[in-house]
Amino acid sequence: FYEEPLHFNFPPAFLREARIRVAAEWRPEDLVAVKQLVESGRLSLDGLITHREEAQNATEAYRTAFNDPTCLKMVLDWRSCS
């Protein structure tokens, strides 16, 4: 989902330990931990959802989600669908 491949300057990385974590898939315990952090106020999700769109406009929503660099998270609103 990145526009360009991830890369970094390798020689300095070999001089120090580097850790890169990328979540490929959430596990159930991950979701429980995040829920607890949000509920306790230790984790704020303010600003995470940057775009919302009606579900019937899903084609445009996906276009925005994958092509607009300002779109962090898109929510499809299904409330108006029967």
Side-chain angles (χ1 to χ4, degrees):
F1 296 105
Y2 295 99
E3 283 186 26
E4 297 179 19
L6 295 175
H7 65 285
F8 58 94
N9 194 356
F10 285 98
F14 287 110
L15 298 174
R16 295 185 170 83
E17 181 179 336
R19 288 187 191 182
I20 299 174
R21 292 184 180 196
V22 178
E25 184 177 325
W26 287 84
R27 298 178 314 223
E29 57 269 23
D30 296 331
L31 296 176
V32 170
V34 169
K35 182 177 181 282
Q36 290 172 344
L37 289 169
V38 170
E39 289 173 344
S40 71
R42 293 176 52 209
L43 176 64
S44 171
L45 300 180
D46 292 345
L48 180 64
I49 297 171
T50 56
H51 292 71
R52 297 174 191 272
E53 189 62 68
E54 299 290 327
Q56 61 264 27
N57 300 330
T59 300
E60 181 60 30
Y62 277 99
R63 191 174 296 119
T64 299
F66 289 110
N67 296 311
D68 183 344
T70 67
C71 183
L72 297 179
K73 292 293 178 190
M74 169 71 74
V75 171
L76 288 177
D77 187 344
W78 291 86
R79 292 178 287 188
S80 63
C81 296
S82 302

